[in-house]
Amino acid sequence: MLYIGVDLGGTGIKAGVVSETGEILSKASVPTGRERPYQAIVADIALLCERAVQEAGVTMAQIKAIGVGVPGICDPRTGVIPLCTNLGWHDVPFVEELHKHTALPVYVDNDATVAGFAESIAGVSAGSASSVFLTLGTGVGGGIVIGGRPYSGVHGVGSEIGHMIIRMDGEPCTCGNYGCFERYASATAIIREAVRAVQDCPQSMILKRCGGDPARINAKIVIDCAKAGDETACRVFAAYVKALAHGIINIINVLDPEVIALGGGVSMAGEFLLDAVREAVKPLIFFKSMPYARIELARLGADAGIIGAALLGRQ
Amino acid sequence: MLYIGVDLGGTGIKAGVVSETGEILSKASVPTGRERPYQAIVADIALLCERAVQEAGVTMAQIKAIGVGVPGICDPRTGVIPLCTNLGWHDVPFVEELHKHTALPVYVDNDATVAGFAESIAGVSAGSASSVFLTLGTGVGGGIVIGGRPYSGVHGVGSEIGHMIIRMDGEPCTCGNYGCFERYASATAIIREAVRAVQDCPQSMILKRCGGDPARINAKIVIDCAKAGDETACRVFAAYVKALAHGIINIINVLDPEVIALGGGVSMAGEFLLDAVREAVKPLIFFKSMPYARIELARLGADAGIIGAALLGRQ
């Protein structure tokens, strides 16, 4: 059987036909046009699904279900999206609306959860019963898989690992609290700390690489400078890794998953990041003699959203 | 069918016969004598089970299984206890050893996990599919129930909610890390902060209640003084509640359970604590329009260990 996976984002919608094992047979995309009413966006999703099916050279009769990953919170049981800040949605009866266009079963879940689910089936945590996926991007997204199933909690508001508080009274967060994990473990955190650091260290390679304009600093520049041995960049990177390790320790001490997969923009730093994080986690482990989660780089990249959404229908 | 529950502690062992619904029919206890080899302790557990059965006026033929809650980490699948610091145990083949004395099925899990499981069946979180239990005592223990089953993670090292870091670089913890939740949300934390506070405020009611000797301060004295309106005690209590609320927010943002149950010595403060914690959690909630976990006082008290251990056999 085949499945359609839809990755609904704030700027674009991507859809693909996906096999039972998580292989993508086709991909299609369209701008979200998020200023429009949700009905128009859902209609576009239905059309995009048809396009993806055509491009895969298959027919709708071969599709078992449609799964959608949404950048907000979902109630997988009712198919309602209570809140999606990115799209300005409140209590949108998403599944009901999509059923006006298709008779296929429709599944919906949070985008980071769905990406983590994809990694647990076709990516780095394949074969593990439980895993946690972290997207290290503008913020930090979390996807929890327990017992082979995506886990978003009882009210659908769980798995918000980026808003786990690791430094009470710390940096102010967009959520209104202080000291959330994503204030320290996102690309945004690297940029913020680098901007602060170059004020005291104007000789840093970071400033040269961004043409002397701190407003042009991004996470890649900072990490590249750290790789090149720039002292200021190394200090910023070390603080980043320390905070990421602390969040990972919380995941280990509470959830104790089999795998913790690092995805998102910052994870493009590859082994340089992975080695540093593994080293930083080690001394923080509570039960030193016991095995604990493997920390790995995610493998599916931007396709994780389509694959994981599609495989929601496989359950 | 009936079950035997054993609560194995560092100083005493308690056992009881428990009904299918979590009712205790008998209780028996014996000192642990933890300096002895584990074989002697396990032999005592077997004898204690027989005594509990006799005192319940039933026979061993009516017992379906024995469950044991252990103050350490367990591998429920192998029945081995890899680590139990309190008893000085390392890789003890607990279930195998107990099987030298009984042919009944034996189940073993962490004591806080087992207490949380008891609350989820016969206590305040009865009927909920997922719940988190916190023991606010010398440390902070955590018991997670997901999908009606105790959850300790893949390697048995999860559910250590007391060692979730909420203040990176904060107070040093017994685990070797800094800023663990239990450094702020245990009775020990209340005592530490009260001892610090009375140095600056020697006129505090706290000092009067402990006969002028800060070494005699305990959590009950501080909370009683806060209830009576003593300014210093109120400040210590407010800081305690704030930290507890931050840990609870992390539980909500990651696990999103149906119920969070507060047990242990500090929870004896009752509604005074509960009302304050609920108020402190409210403004920290991420998705303000969404329902979230009910925060409640645990109901089973010291019996939770026996009941939860017994009901491990009901699965």
Side-chain angles (χ1 to χ4, degrees):
Chain A
M1 262 334 238
L2 299 173
Y3 305 85
I4 296 174
V6 178
D7 184 353
L8 173 57
T11 52
I13 311 172
K14 294 182 288 180
V17 173
V18 174
S19 76
E20 193 86 27
T21 53
E23 200 191 348
I24 296 186
L25 307 188
S26 69
K27 275 198 267 190
S29 66
V30 70
T32 307
R34 62 176 162 185
E35 64 290 348
R36 301 176 300 159
Y38 73 83
Q39 292 89 343
I41 296 173
V42 172
D44 275 1
I45 290 175
L47 285 172
L48 195 66
C49 289
E50 285 172 25
R51 256 181 56 202
V53 166
Q54 278 166 17
E55 283 174 31
V58 299
T59 68
M60 272 294 173
Q62 291 170 268
I63 305 294
K64 198 174 164 193
I66 298 174
V68 186
V70 176
I73 51 177
C74 304
D75 189 333
R77 283 156 304 193
T78 62
V80 169
I81 297 173
L83 192 65
C84 180
T85 318
N86 254 353
L87 300 173
W89 287 5
H90 288 271
D91 292 324
V92 165
F94 184 84
V95 171
E96 192 185 309
E97 186 64 26
L98 193 52
H99 272 152
K100 292 180 183 166
H101 304 274
T102 176
L104 285 170
V106 173
Y107 300 90
V108 62
D109 213 324
N110 171 268
D111 55 0
T113 298
V114 147
F117 185 48
E119 290 288 344
S120 81
I121 291 182
V124 70
S125 41
S128 72
S130 80
S131 58
V132 171
F133 171 70
L134 296 175
T135 48
L136 310 171
T138 309
V140 171
I144 300 175
V145 175
I146 294 179
R149 299 177 60 101
Y151 183 87
S152 301
V154 169
H155 313 89
V157 302
S159 197
E160 288 290 346
I161 296 175
H163 296 284
M164 177 174 67
I165 292 159
I166 63 164
R167 179 166 266 159
M168 207 161 63
D169 303 321
E171 295 282 340
C173 184
T174 51
C175 75
N177 290 341
Y178 293 81
C180 290
F181 184 39
E182 75 170 32
R183 284 309 100 208
Y184 301 92
S186 59
T188 312
I190 295 179
I191 296 166
R192 181 195 67 225
E193 291 304 316
V195 168
R196 288 178 186 170
V198 295
Q199 286 175 343
D200 295 333
C201 309
Q203 77 289 3
S204 164
M205 188 191 289
I206 298 173
L207 265 187
K208 288 184 199 89
R209 292 272 176 102
C210 66
D213 179 7
R216 290 174 55 201
I217 293 175
N218 61 40
K220 188 177 182 311
I221 289 175
V222 179
I223 292 172
D224 284 346
C225 292
K227 283 179 180 172
D230 176 70
E231 201 186 307
T232 308
C234 285
R235 216 165 47 238
V236 171
F237 182 69
Y240 174 83
V241 166
K242 176 185 166 181
L244 180 53
H246 275 71
I248 286 174
I249 279 298
N250 285 0
I251 294 167
I252 289 172
N253 283 347
V254 176
L255 285 170
D256 179 27
E258 204 167 326
V259 182
I260 296 173
L262 308 179
V266 180
S267 75
M268 306 297 279
E271 301 292 326
F272 182 69
L273 174 73
L274 190 62
D275 291 347
V277 170
R278 285 176 175 166
E279 275 309 303
V281 164
K282 218 179 284 176
L284 302 174
I285 288 291
F286 186 13
F287 300 111
K288 302 261 192 280
S289 61
M290 292 289 294
Y292 60 92
R294 283 190 291 125
I295 303 165
E296 305 283 359
L297 296 170
R299 282 201 199 132
L300 302 176
D303 288 340
I306 291 176
I307 297 170
L311 295 178
L312 289 175
R314 212 188 67 162
Q315 295 178 74
Chain B
M1 263 337 238
L2 300 173
Y3 306 85
I4 296 174
V6 179
D7 184 353
L8 173 57
T11 51
I13 310 171
K14 295 182 289 180
V17 173
V18 174
S19 75
E20 192 86 28
T21 53
E23 200 190 350
I24 296 186
L25 307 188
S26 69
K27 275 198 268 191
S29 65
V30 71
T32 307
R34 62 177 161 183
E35 64 291 347
R36 300 177 300 157
Y38 74 84
Q39 292 89 341
I41 295 173
V42 172
D44 274 2
I45 289 175
L47 286 172
L48 195 66
C49 289
E50 284 172 25
R51 255 179 58 202
V53 165
Q54 279 165 15
E55 281 172 34
V58 299
T59 68
M60 271 294 173
Q62 291 170 268
I63 306 293
K64 198 172 164 195
I66 299 174
V68 185
V70 176
I73 50 177
C74 304
D75 189 333
R77 283 156 304 193
T78 62
V80 170
I81 298 174
L83 193 64
C84 180
T85 317
N86 253 353
L87 300 173
W89 287 5
H90 288 271
D91 293 323
V92 165
F94 184 83
V95 170
E96 192 186 309
E97 186 64 27
L98 193 51
H99 271 151
K100 292 181 182 166
H101 305 273
T102 176
L104 286 169
V106 174
Y107 300 91
V108 62
D109 214 325
N110 171 268
D111 55 0
T113 298
V114 148
F117 186 49
E119 290 288 344
S120 82
I121 290 182
V124 70
S125 42
S128 72
S130 81
S131 58
V132 172
F133 171 70
L134 297 176
T135 47
L136 310 171
T138 308
V140 171
I144 300 175
V145 175
I146 294 179
R149 298 177 61 101
Y151 183 87
S152 300
V154 169
H155 314 88
V157 302
S159 198
E160 288 290 347
I161 297 176
H163 296 283
M164 178 173 66
I165 292 158
I166 65 165
R167 178 166 267 160
M168 207 161 62
D169 303 321
E171 295 282 340
C173 184
T174 51
C175 75
N177 290 341
Y178 293 81
C180 289
F181 184 39
E182 75 169 32
R183 284 308 101 206
Y184 302 92
S186 59
T188 312
I190 295 179
I191 296 166
R192 180 194 67 224
E193 291 304 316
V195 169
R196 288 178 186 171
V198 296
Q199 286 175 343
D200 295 332
C201 308
Q203 77 289 1
S204 164
M205 188 191 289
I206 298 173
L207 264 188
K208 287 184 200 87
R209 292 274 176 101
C210 66
D213 179 8
R216 289 175 55 203
I217 293 175
N218 61 41
K220 188 177 184 308
I221 289 176
V222 179
I223 292 174
D224 284 346
C225 291
K227 283 180 179 171
D230 176 69
E231 203 186 306
T232 308
C234 285
R235 216 165 46 237
V236 171
F237 183 69
Y240 175 82
V241 166
K242 176 185 165 181
L244 181 53
H246 275 71
I248 287 175
I249 279 297
N250 285 1
I251 294 167
I252 290 173
N253 284 347
V254 176
L255 284 170
D256 179 27
E258 204 167 325
V259 182
I260 296 173
L262 307 180
V266 181
S267 75
M268 306 297 278
E271 301 292 327
F272 182 69
L273 174 73
L274 190 62
D275 291 347
V277 170
R278 285 177 175 164
E279 275 309 303
V281 164
K282 220 179 284 175
L284 302 175
I285 289 291
F286 185 14
F287 299 111
K288 302 262 192 280
S289 60
M290 293 290 293
Y292 61 91
R294 285 189 289 124
I295 302 164
E296 306 283 0
L297 296 170
R299 283 202 197 129
L300 302 176
D303 288 341
I306 291 176
I307 297 171
L311 296 177
L312 288 175
R314 213 187 66 162
Q315 295 178 77

